[in-house]
Amino acid sequence: ADIKIGIAEALTGGAAQYGVAISNGFQLAAEEINAKGGINGNKITLVIEDEQGKKEESINVFKKLIFQDKVLMIFGPTLSNSMFAAGPVANAAKTVVFGTSVTANGITDVGPYVFRNSVMESDVLPVTVATATKHYQLKKVAVIYGNDDAFTKSGYDVFKKVLEEQKLPVTTTETYVKGDVDFKAQLTKIKGSNPDAVVCSCLAEEAANIMLQARGLGIKAPFIGGNGFNSPKLFEISKLAGEGTFVGSPWSNTNPAPANQAFVAAYQKKYKAEPNQFAAQAYDALNVAAAALKDIKLSGDIVADREALKNALPKATISGATGPFKFRPAKTRSGQPGGWDADQKPFIYLVKGGKFTLYSSK
Amino acid sequence: MLEQQLLNALTLGSVYALFALGFTLVFGVLAVINLSHGAVFMVGSYAALALVTHFDAPLWLAILGAMLISGTIGLLVDVLILKPLRARNAPHLIPMIATIGVGIMLTSAAQGMFGAEVLRFPEETLPAGEFIVGNVHVRALELAIVAIAFILMAVLFTLIKRTQLGRALRAIAESPKAAWLLGINVEGLFHVTSFVAAALGGVAGVLIGLDFNAITPQMGQPILHKGIAVIILGGMGDIRGALIGGLFLGFAEVISKAYLSSQMGDAVAFGLLFLILLVRPSGLFGRKLERKA
Amino acid sequence: MEWFNDFWSTYSTLVFSVGVHALLALSIWLTLSCGLLSLANAAFMGIGAYVSALLTLQLGWSFPAVLLAGGLAPALVALIIGAPVLRLSGVYLAMATLAFGEVVRITVLNLEITGGPEGLNGIPLLTEGWHIALILALTLYGLARLRRSKVGRAFEAIKEDEVAARLMGIDVDRYKLLAFVLGAVIAGVAGALNAHFTFFISPREYGFENAVDIITMAVLGGTANLIGPVLGASIITLLPELLRSLHDFRSFVNGAVLVLVVLFLPKGIWDPRRFRGWLQRVKGGRA
Amino acid sequence: MSVLLRVRDLAVAYGHIEAVKGLTFHLNTGEITALVGANGAGKSTTLLALSGLLKPARGKIEFDGEDITALPAHQIVKRGVVQVAEGRAILTTLTVAENLVLGAYTRTDKAEIAASLDEVYALFPRLKDRADQFAGNLSGGEQQMLAIGRALMAKPKLLLLDEPSMGLAPIMVQEIFRTLVEINRRGLTILLVEQNVRQALKIARHGYVIETGEIVLADSGENLLANPKVEEAYLGG
Amino acid sequence: MSDPTLLSIRNVGKHFGGLHVLQDVSFEVPAGSIYGLIGPNGAGKTTVFNLVTGLLEPSNGTIEFMGNSLVGLPPQRITHRGIARTFQNIRIFKEMSLLENVMVGMHDHLNYSPAAIFFNTGACRSAEKRARERAFELLSWVGLEHKSDMLADNLSYGDQRKLEFARALATEPKLLLLDEPVAGMNPSEKTILMEEIRNIRDRGYGVFMIEHDMRFVMGLCDRIAVLNFGRIIAEGTPDEVRNNPDVIEAYLGKEDEA
Ligand SMILES: Nc1ncnc2c1ncn2[C@@H]1O[C@H](COP(=O)(O)OP(=O)(O)OP(=O)(O)O)[C@@H](O)[C@H]1O
Ligand SMILES: Nc1ncnc2c1ncn2[C@@H]1O[C@H](COP(=O)(O)OP(=O)(O)OP(=O)(O)O)[C@@H](O)[C@H]1O
Ligand SMILES: [Mg+2]
Ligand SMILES: [Mg+2]
């Protein structure tokens, strides 16, 4: 029998640019798995629904997938906010929900059925900042982040903590809001504070504009970014403005590992476009689930199968586009049994010639 | 840094003003808050982009083309939707809701055609030119935006205040019935206004798309939001108001980001707007006729 | 029965949303019936949602108490800003209330206790179907009574001509404030209900677009009487769900439907006068 | 004598209710014709239909030999049919002078327009005093003057007047009627709707009496004045 | 017999910026009589009404109603004191039915509480019922009862005036201000209205009206004040005013048309 898997991503609305890439990643992975004969002979079918990046819509989509389509598990949703609303629904229905792009703190507090392979900023940023500080001999940095978005704000919170821990003084902290395209006021202020580097918790599209406008204003300092920077788009747009940027991330299109190169090539072939980290993580996520599914015998009783998957998934490991992957149990605030976070080692990249290059300290 | 910030404020303010010009024109003449103006602005950007990338059109031609395309959309919206609504005496919020629908359609059509991700003009099409005066970095494109905003404002303002056409437009704005009786082709002028306003929105889209270089199906939303603030701050349908309101908002935003806190940029801008409205209940240039009975 | 269970577990949230949206549409209907184009109701909903969620999460208040607070908190705010703001009219009022909403949203965004942009999560599921049904029924009944009383007539009169209304002995300022505050109460309670069945709230849900959505529901449904807003809320909420199978074309069709409805039913979907017209035509045709 | 306007079986409806139920009448070139009737008889409705602001349910309107039934309002004005509407339709947010200049919207000759403006100011000096004020601030009677003056600015061939004397002081009413006679003598055809029935019929060559949307009497002005039925119903006994 | 003074206007002036619309205007409207205010267009008559009803504040002078100053009171308080008016440029509630229009006028006299509204108490119901009946009465008085459910907007001009008249009466005023009540009515309708206004006076109300129709004014008013360029140029009985050369010159014109 086919294995029905639900995909709930934002395919329209403001978060569509991420949701669409994610959904592409899933479809590519499903195709590859099915082309190789499926899982223990069972083909994967994806039920893809648009959750529009809205919380009520996510709940509705989750309920439809769980109770009406009776999917085995759900991937998604795109935004952390939506996961906070829809995650409890899946958890209460004892159905695995697997987020690939939800990085906010507390997501896996929702319950034991909640999984994610999105690497948390708190795993990435300390290393990134430390490496950059050493490389550039940084004395002081400026910070800019998007303050109305859960993703960039929680990234900032981590940055702030890391900078405090590493005793790196901050000259000024600037914010912008989603949809802003003009960052010159903030950048002019940053320029006036004369930092050695600019720490940036932003999504790639905004980051590219920030870099361009920074150079336009005569800021020479290099950038340090988190997860959000990780898209080939960054350099398509910012060209050489991003030279010298440090990025910590589990994935890069230039990572030479064969699994990754195969993914990048397959993606380009299918979609005539460069993949990004969102697509890569989605691609890997489906492969992780496939690995777990291999080990269980599906009974056809949806309740039992869902439970079996929930028990098998934590043990699944793969080596995918984002490198070796395994889960680790989440530490929850309340002490209740929580879900599962990614346990993955990030790579540090330095941008050279408009490309991510794996950084190795001399 | 102050000089740089003042320049930043001037350009941002001009961007708002440029967007608001067409918006306020429709508002002033048709008395419709056209919530599809943001989407038309977005269409302008994509149209120019498509002309440049697919047809290798030079920039000036692309801008003209974008004006034509967005203007046509404005015209179609007026002919196909607003005109029947006028004929049916729709209550005043109804046309606004229709334009919300149009906005949704345009946005999803753009996403269908161009995808959800951010697109850019190819670098070689961007007008180069950047100079440094003292400590201030200026780009040619920014100067162009400022200049165009001011020029368009001046042209439109003179047109409306001093010409027979302008008087006719104001007559329509107040009472279409009275205008018909004066021999004014009211429907015709509604169409023209819709076309011109949308074309202006289209130009704004191209210029701002070029300047900030981030074209997405959603790009019209945030600026629409600001645009509403601008035209109401300036005074309903007032052309000067669009410019002054735009500059005001630009300065409020930039200065509060620069000297207070960037978190507070919008809060300060909207807070000030709130206060200004309390003092001037009809906006900066709006006036209320005092006569009551 | 099993069919119903399946249906209910899939669509209960949707049904809840219809109820909450109906409340919101009624809240704006109330202010509109007094001629006030207010965009503050989304912000009032947000205040109700945050106050109630915080009371539940931090102080563990009982649900009825939380709902009450969710209605009263925005009412208090409305009372304070009402006096200065309601001197404005038309789009200027819309703008001032919109600006107020923005300030509220940005404040929530920058406060510690509200969780900033990450919002509040883990709100327990306390709202049940009958809560919404009861509150909606009470609201409908109350508004229906109001409409037929001198208060309702005063609202209408103010909407049409403030000066003439004053000269009929109506204290225009007080009645406007009344409409504004009552609208805030309804919106606040709606927000409180919503917060307790969606597990999560964040500042993004109470911004400009939502304010416009609320107005759309009321106006699309028709503002001639109370059926309109409820109908409008139902359609706007259910339409995306009904169109789900269209996938890529969904939001395009959604927009198109909005345009078409407005185009062919310009007085709103529920338009008693049109119905009367039809009736007359039918009668006339027979005679 | 030539017929300037010919109306055949004109019917106008608001929704399902016919307010005008098949009027047939004509106006001779160069004459004043009066249309009188009680409140709600359908006089204003008729005038609005003639100007193209209401679309007739049936019937035909011919102006100067041309069928204008289906023409849009501005085309009708262009052909020289100008109306001073009930309720004046003053543009309150424009100044008095701007209102007047807009009256000449369909004309192009600058010099002639200026001459017309002087004539109007000569006729209503009060308007000249108030030229730069917003028309909305004018008193009721001043607005009435403005409405008439504005219509004259169009240099009409046919002037439709809907209760021009409404709200005017007696001295002004006399002035208006004198003016109407004067401009009529210069060749302008006038259709006059008036509640001031006595004066209207005095200056009108022909008159029609309409009741609930139908013409019930048609005769010369003189005869109508002398008609006991008219006397009783419209002249207050 | 000397009627007590209902409305007294003393030394009132009003200017808009530099434009002096009223200067040193004084007169008194006695109870139980019909008082007329006439004068050329733009003389300031409507402005006087606006001052009395609180839509405008006088620049100087005093306005008293039954011995109490009205200056500075908002319009609704003045209505409450017992003054109602009609407008020269008709201001009815167009989207409401005729019946509702009149019932709005009774606003001040419907004293039920919010709780009564919600629980639909007997008191509330009977008050509404009475108001409805009274509204019908008023409508039939002006001859519009058969149109009571119609939207006011669909009335012809003359009918709208009648509706406004009924609505003003619904506020149960002690003094009724009428701004050109018969504009747009034909002579026979004027005669009917004349009777009605006399009726009102005879019931002890005061009527204060502006009108340009001389037959109407002269036939109806007990006293008349004449305003020209913002100043009172004559005051007295109709006969006195009619024969005043200043009035003839400024307002009536030479030939007596009526
Ligand atoms: N917009 C409208 N909708 C519906 N009915 C209307 C409308 N306007 C006028 N009517 C009706 O049509 C009829 C004729 O009205 P019209 O205004 O033509 O009368 P009139 O002869 O000009 O009266 P008056 O002397 O009072 O101005 C009336 O019964 C009126 O109620
Ligand atoms: N708000 C205002 N601003 C400026 N001027 C005004 C205002 N209100 C009235 N006026 C002017 O004051 C003068 C008197 O106006 P008012 O309406 O009182 O005249 P009226 O005597 O009622 O005339 P009519 O008989 O024509 O109605 C007019 O010349 C008018 O232009
Ligand atoms: Mg009429
Ligand atoms: Mg007057």
Side-chain angles (χ1 to χ4, degrees):
Chain A
D2 285 359
I3 302 172
K4 239 204 244 183
I5 292 180
I7 309 283
E9 300 290 348
L11 304 178
T12 56
Q17 43 178 312
Y18 316 113
V20 170
I22 294 170
S23 144
N24 286 347
F26 285 126
Q27 293 178 58
L28 178 63
E31 246 171 52
E32 285 181 6
I33 293 168
N34 288 341
K36 287 189 207 128
I39 300 166
N40 303 333
N42 298 322
K43 293 248 149 82
I44 292 180
T45 51
L46 300 181
V47 184
I48 301 175
E49 292 293 353
D50 180 11
E51 48 91 353
Q52 298 184 321
K54 296 183 191 155
K55 71 168 187 184
E56 266 115 347
E57 197 70 11
S58 307
I59 296 179
N60 291 340
V61 164
F62 266 51
K63 288 190 163 178
K64 172 180 177 286
L65 291 172
I66 294 171
F67 299 112
Q68 195 175 314
D69 298 329
K70 306 228 164 26
V71 298
L72 184 61
M73 66 171 292
I74 297 175
F75 284 107
T78 307
L79 300 176
S80 298
N81 286 357
S82 306
M83 182 60 119
F84 280 125
V89 173
N91 197 64
K94 298 196 188 318
T95 305
V96 167
V97 53
F98 191 149
T100 65
S101 57
V102 288
T103 52
N105 277 326
I107 291 269
T108 37
D109 284 15
V110 167
Y113 291 85
V114 181
F115 293 75
R116 64 173 158 185
N117 71 340
S118 3
V119 176
M120 302 217 299
E121 302 278 18
S122 52
D123 292 336
V124 182
L125 297 185
V127 206
T128 321
V129 173
T131 317
T133 309
K134 209 166 136 219
H135 182 84
Y136 288 122
Q137 305 288 308
L138 300 178
K139 296 282 178 315
K140 55 188 194 304
V141 295
V143 179
I144 183 166
Y145 72 99
N147 83 327
D148 70 334
D149 179 84
F151 177 77
T152 51
K153 169 67 167 38
S154 61
Y156 162 72
D157 288 341
V158 178
F159 263 129
K160 191 169 162 224
K161 213 165 123 235
V162 170
L163 292 174
E164 269 163 23
E165 279 167 8
Q166 305 193 357
K167 301 209 167 45
L168 205 53
V170 174
T171 60
T172 178
T173 302
E174 297 301 318
T175 63
Y176 63 86
V177 294
K178 215 173 183 92
D180 273 2
V181 282
D182 184 356
F183 307 95
K184 288 193 289 262
Q186 293 94 321
L187 290 170
T188 304
K189 208 168 154 198
I190 286 179
K191 186 184 175 202
S193 75
N194 209 6
D196 298 329
V198 181
V199 170
C200 184
S201 177
C202 316
L203 292 166
E205 323 289 350
E206 293 149 354
N209 259 329
I210 289 175
M211 288 173 174
L212 274 173
Q213 289 178 17
R215 302 304 174 227
L217 288 167
I219 297 177
K220 305 237 162 48
F223 281 79
I224 301 172
N227 247 323
F229 267 42
N230 202 344
S231 158
K233 275 267 154 182
L234 191 63
F235 306 109
E236 213 175 277
I237 304 158
S238 65
K239 302 289 172 206
L240 296 181
E243 256 345 64
T245 300
F246 266 95
V247 181
S249 164
W251 180 83
S252 137
N253 58 338
T254 53
N255 179 356
N260 186 43
Q261 288 311 314
F263 160 71
V264 171
Y267 191 97
Q268 279 170 337
K269 181 151 170 270
K270 184 163 158 61
Y271 297 108
K272 312 272 176 291
E274 290 284 330
N276 60 16
Q277 180 185 330
F278 295 101
Q281 284 178 321
Y283 176 85
D284 276 7
L286 191 59
N287 281 316
V288 171
L293 283 167
K294 265 204 194 87
D295 297 338
I296 48 180
K297 186 142 174 44
L298 293 175
S299 62
D301 170 13
I302 190 79
V303 177
D305 288 348
R306 283 173 177 169
E307 196 60 24
L309 177 60
K310 173 227 162 191
N311 293 329
L313 202 49
K315 286 164 279 191
T317 60
I318 61 161
S319 188
T322 62
F325 176 89
K326 65 179 195 288
F327 283 111
R328 65 158 192 251
K331 294 186 219 102
T332 65
R333 280 176 295 191
S334 52
Q336 312 266 346
W340 300 82
D341 284 326
D343 188 2
Q344 232 177 341
K345 200 171 95 54
F347 303 98
I348 306 296
Y349 296 96
L350 176 60
V351 174
K352 268 193 207 145
K355 282 211 163 66
F356 290 108
T357 52
L358 213 45
Y359 180 77
S360 51
S361 50
K362 295 146 257 184
Chain B
M1 288 296 106
L2 178 64
E3 308 88 338
Q4 182 73 49
Q5 290 292 24
L6 289 181
L7 180 75
N8 294 343
L10 184 66
T11 39
L12 185 63
S14 302
V15 163
Y16 290 154
L18 201 53
F19 176 83
L21 274 179
F23 197 24
T24 206
L25 196 61
V26 171
F27 190 27
V29 176
L30 283 81
V32 171
I33 301 179
N34 180 3
L35 292 182
S36 70
H37 198 67
V40 168
F41 164 89
M42 175 271 301
V43 168
S45 265
Y46 274 108
L49 181 71
L51 288 171
V52 166
T53 49
H54 293 311
F55 301 97
D56 288 325
L59 195 56
W60 63 268
L61 194 66
I63 292 181
L64 272 186
M67 280 179 88
L68 203 67
I69 290 172
S70 48
T72 308
I73 289 179
L75 183 64
L76 284 177
V77 168
D78 193 52
V79 172
L80 297 180
I81 299 169
L82 300 182
K83 182 178 175 179
L85 286 180
R86 286 193 291 270
R88 281 164 217 182
N89 261 329
H92 75 290
L93 283 177
I94 283 284
M96 178 182 96
I97 296 202
T99 59
I100 295 176
V102 173
I104 296 176
M105 289 166 74
L106 290 176
T107 308
S108 56
Q111 186 179 332
M113 283 159 72
F114 297 97
E117 70 272 28
V118 179
L119 299 181
R120 324 257 153 185
F121 282 97
E123 202 178 14
E124 52 296 354
T125 55
L126 293 180
E130 176 181 330
F131 23 106
I132 300 171
V133 187
N135 219 347
V136 182
H137 290 244
V138 194
R139 289 186 305 134
L141 200 57
E142 290 172 351
L143 285 187
I145 288 179
V146 174
I148 291 176
F150 274 81
I151 292 170
L152 280 178
M153 194 283 297
V155 169
L156 276 178
F157 182 72
T158 333
L159 198 79
I160 299 263
K161 271 279 152 16
R162 305 249 181 279
T163 67
Q164 187 77 332
L165 178 71
R167 278 188 285 271
L169 286 176
R170 280 183 288 148
I172 294 177
E174 187 185 328
S175 161
K177 177 184 161 192
W180 280 119
L181 284 171
L182 290 169
I184 296 169
N185 182 356
V186 175
E187 283 300 329
L189 287 188
F190 277 150
H191 297 338
V192 171
T193 305
S194 300
F195 181 89
V196 171
L200 286 174
V203 188
V206 185
L207 289 175
I208 293 165
L210 281 168
D211 189 20
F212 297 125
N213 217 355
I215 301 170
T216 71
Q218 313 285 336
M219 69 188 280
Q221 270 310 315
I223 196 161
L224 179 70
H225 198 162
K226 296 274 167 65
I228 295 176
V230 166
I231 66 173
I232 287 172
L233 177 64
M236 162 150 177
D238 193 286
I239 300 290
R240 281 168 309 170
L243 186 75
I244 303 293
L247 289 178
F248 174 86
L249 204 65
F251 273 85
E253 232 182 279
V254 167
I255 299 300
S256 61
K257 277 178 188 166
Y259 296 101
L260 294 169
S261 143
S262 43
Q263 309 206 358
M264 286 297 143
D266 280 355
V268 169
F270 280 103
L272 273 176
L273 178 72
F274 186 79
L275 293 179
I276 288 179
L277 281 179
L278 295 189
V279 182
R280 289 201 53 104
S282 305
L284 293 172
F285 288 100
R287 47 156 202 269
K288 258 207 176 115
L289 281 172
E290 275 163 44
R291 183 160 183 127
K292 300 239 168 83
Chain C
M1 206 52 221
E2 190 178 335
W3 169 86
F4 178 78
N5 280 340
D6 264 8
F7 172 85
W8 187 245
S9 33
T10 310
Y11 292 111
S12 58
T13 308
L14 198 64
V15 175
F16 284 18
S17 295
V18 169
V20 166
H21 286 162
L23 279 173
L24 288 170
L26 287 171
S27 81
I28 201 73
W29 174 88
L30 183 61
T31 42
L32 281 176
S33 79
C34 190
L36 303 171
L37 178 53
S38 162
L39 290 172
N41 287 25
F44 289 143
M45 175 194 187
I47 294 173
Y50 269 96
V51 166
S52 64
L54 284 170
L55 288 175
T56 301
L57 288 173
Q58 310 248 339
L59 302 180
W61 283 23
S62 73
F63 193 47
V66 155
L67 283 182
L68 194 67
L72 290 183
L76 196 68
V77 178
L79 209 55
I80 296 168
I81 66 160
V85 164
L86 294 176
R87 295 187 314 136
L88 304 173
S89 58
V91 287
Y92 298 100
L93 175 66
M95 191 60 233
T97 48
L98 171 62
F100 159 76
E102 275 301 286
V103 173
V104 168
R105 193 179 63 83
I106 295 167
T107 310
V108 171
L109 206 52
N110 288 298
L111 281 181
E112 201 62 45
I113 187 165
T114 55
E118 284 141 307
L120 292 176
N121 61 60
I123 305 168
L125 175 69
L126 297 178
T127 305
E128 289 172 34
W130 68 269
H131 296 142
I132 298 182
L134 180 68
I135 290 175
L136 184 59
L138 277 178
T139 308
L140 277 171
Y141 173 77
L143 291 180
R145 291 292 318 143
L146 203 67
R147 214 164 79 85
R148 270 162 229 276
S149 71
K150 67 168 188 172
V151 181
R153 284 192 300 270
F155 284 169
E156 280 249 12
I158 293 170
K159 173 164 97 182
E160 289 206 33
D161 188 335
E162 267 183 42
V163 171
R166 280 214 158 83
L167 286 163
M168 296 296 111
I170 295 168
D171 191 333
V172 171
D173 302 325
R174 270 183 49 201
Y175 275 97
K176 279 181 167 180
L177 193 60
L178 178 69
F180 193 57
V181 171
L182 281 182
V185 172
I186 301 175
V189 172
L193 287 169
N194 174 274
H196 289 85
F197 72 82
T198 55
F199 308 99
F200 170 77
I201 54 177
S202 76
R204 189 162 292 166
E205 296 157 40
Y206 310 110
F208 170 65
E209 263 119 76
N210 307 278
V212 173
D213 275 353
I214 296 174
I215 290 195
T216 305
M217 291 175 200
V219 176
L220 188 83
T223 48
N225 63 27
L226 296 169
I227 300 175
V230 176
L231 199 64
S234 314
I235 289 173
I236 296 270
T237 313
L238 296 178
L239 194 62
E241 204 53 42
L242 295 176
L243 299 178
R244 187 172 287 291
S245 58
L246 295 177
H247 294 291
D248 288 353
F249 296 101
R250 175 159 80 137
S251 67
F252 187 85
V253 175
N254 202 348
V257 170
L258 204 59
V259 172
L260 291 177
V261 168
V262 164
L263 205 52
F264 290 102
L265 305 169
K267 301 258 155 74
I269 295 170
W270 192 263
D271 177 5
R273 235 177 269 156
R274 179 163 38 87
F275 297 153
R276 228 171 290 145
W278 284 347
L279 216 67
Q280 270 173 14
R281 209 175 309 166
V282 171
K283 273 191 207 153
R286 287 210 196 109
Chain D
M1 184 165 305
S2 71
V3 170
L4 185 63
L5 183 85
R6 187 180 291 288
V7 175
R8 280 204 199 94
D9 192 29
L10 177 72
V12 189
Y14 294 103
H16 316 288
I17 303 157
E18 268 198 357
V20 168
K21 304 168 181 160
L23 301 189
T24 301
F25 65 94
H26 66 271
L27 309 180
N28 291 330
T29 309
E31 284 185 1
I32 298 180
T33 307
L35 192 60
V36 300
N39 293 140
K43 305 179 296 291
S44 301
T45 305
T46 306
L47 290 203
L48 289 176
L50 294 184
S51 278
L53 247 58
L54 290 174
K55 287 296 153 211
R58 78 192 124 84
K60 192 168 170 189
I61 306 167
E62 242 173 54
F63 177 72
D64 228 355
E66 182 189 5
D67 183 354
I68 60 165
T69 323
L71 284 187
H74 69 282
Q75 291 290 351
I76 295 178
V77 176
K78 216 174 211 160
R79 282 164 177 65
V81 181
V82 176
Q83 172 165 191
V84 177
E86 190 174 62
R88 310 186 187 104
I90 286 295
L91 297 163
T92 58
T93 51
L94 273 63
T95 65
V96 170
E98 284 178 326
N99 265 280
L100 289 174
V101 174
L102 260 186
Y105 188 76
T106 48
R107 297 167 63 188
T108 46
D109 187 326
K110 282 230 168 77
E112 273 187 43
I113 294 176
S116 298
L117 190 60
D118 288 340
E119 278 172 39
V120 170
Y121 280 148
L123 186 59
F124 303 114
R126 188 90 194 176
L127 293 184
K128 193 163 189 182
D129 298 341
R130 295 268 184 274
D132 293 324
Q133 260 194 32
F134 288 115
N137 284 343
L138 292 182
S139 83
E142 289 164 343
Q143 293 190 2
Q144 189 67 41
M145 299 177 203
L146 179 58
I148 297 171
R150 193 177 62 182
L152 294 179
M153 290 295 293
K155 245 197 171 172
K157 286 192 198 140
L158 169 61
L159 187 59
L160 310 174
L161 293 161
D162 201 346
E163 310 201 19
S165 75
M166 188 194 295
L168 291 182
I171 197 169
M172 224 34 239
V173 175
Q174 292 159 25
E175 184 65 32
I176 291 281
F177 276 96
R178 222 174 285 136
T179 311
L180 290 184
V181 171
E182 169 64 26
I183 52 181
N184 167 251
R185 196 171 301 139
R186 286 190 227 150
L188 179 61
T189 312
I190 294 175
L191 177 60
L192 180 60
V193 168
E194 256 301 334
Q195 293 296 4
N196 205 332
V197 178
R198 193 182 303 271
Q199 289 212 6
L201 291 178
K202 241 184 218 171
I203 64 167
R205 174 81 54 88
H206 281 284
Y208 295 92
V209 178
I210 105 171
E211 263 171 30
T212 56
E214 285 166 300
I215 291 182
V216 292
L217 270 176
D219 208 334
S220 72
E222 265 167 79
N223 289 347
L224 284 175
L225 260 183
N227 187 325
K229 263 200 248 161
V230 176
E231 169 92 29
E232 191 199 335
Y234 303 109
L235 300 176
Chain E
M1 108 185 157
S2 76
D3 283 311
T5 301
L6 205 49
L7 179 72
S8 112
I9 292 177
R10 263 182 242 118
N11 310 106
V12 164
K14 176 72 193 171
H15 55 88
F16 298 102
L19 187 68
H20 289 267
V21 172
L22 292 177
Q23 291 177 46
D24 203 24
V25 171
S26 304
F27 58 87
E28 293 184 344
V29 178
S33 75
I34 302 174
Y35 196 88
L37 181 60
I38 61 175
N41 297 119
K45 304 178 295 297
T46 301
T47 306
V48 169
F49 272 24
N50 288 346
L51 294 174
V52 172
T53 51
L55 296 184
L56 293 174
E57 279 200 37
S59 308
N60 43 288
T62 60
I63 302 174
E64 282 178 8
F65 182 62
M66 302 202 305
N68 300 317
S69 171
L70 296 181
V71 176
L73 288 186
Q76 67 270 20
R77 302 289 312 152
I78 292 175
T79 305
H80 200 69
R81 297 262 173 101
I83 297 182
R85 78 176 280 183
T86 63
F87 294 89
Q88 188 174 358
N89 301 319
I90 304 179
R91 302 183 83 143
I92 46 170
F93 304 119
K94 297 187 169 191
E95 294 292 313
M96 297 169 90
S97 71
L98 305 202
L99 197 71
E100 285 172 324
N101 261 279
V102 178
M103 286 177 79
V104 171
M106 298 171 183
H107 185 85
D108 251 354
H109 303 280
L110 289 169
N111 299 315
Y112 43 72
S113 68
I117 296 175
F118 190 82
F119 295 109
N120 198 15
T121 58
C124 173
R125 258 177 304 175
S126 66
E128 280 283 308
K129 185 154 168 278
R130 259 178 287 125
R132 192 169 289 273
E133 284 162 4
R134 171 101 182 101
F136 249 112
E137 224 171 275
L138 286 167
L139 279 177
S140 37
W141 208 32
V142 295
L144 290 175
E145 74 280 10
H146 57 289
K147 296 186 174 172
S148 64
D149 280 337
M150 213 164 137
L151 279 197
D153 195 25
N154 296 350
L155 289 182
S156 77
Y157 198 82
D159 286 347
Q160 295 190 359
R161 278 210 177 284
K162 295 177 188 163
L163 173 61
E164 219 188 15
F165 193 68
R167 190 184 64 178
L169 284 178
T171 67
E172 299 179 21
K174 299 187 180 74
L175 175 65
L176 185 59
L177 310 188
L178 302 172
D179 199 344
E180 304 196 17
V182 296
M185 294 195 186
N186 70 34
S188 46
E189 287 170 323
K190 286 176 191 169
T191 317
I192 297 170
L193 195 64
M194 226 163 177
E195 267 322 299
E196 283 167 7
I197 294 176
R198 280 205 191 97
N199 263 332
I200 294 173
R201 176 198 50 195
D202 294 345
R203 291 203 224 156
Y205 296 115
V207 177
F208 179 18
M209 70 172 171
I210 298 172
E211 184 50 69
H212 288 304
D213 185 309
M214 282 308 109
R215 277 168 128 241
F216 192 76
V217 174
M218 299 293 170
L220 198 54
C221 291
D222 300 305
R223 286 186 82 79
I224 295 170
V226 187
L227 209 51
N228 190 25
F229 286 111
R231 290 177 186 277
I232 299 281
I233 54 166
E235 212 268 354
T237 63
D239 276 332
E240 288 165 7
V241 165
R242 195 193 331 247
N243 298 315
N244 183 320
D246 290 343
V247 177
I248 293 175
E249 153 105 39
Y251 183 61
L252 294 174
K254 296 285 178 313
E255 50 190 300
D256 192 349
E257 281 288 332

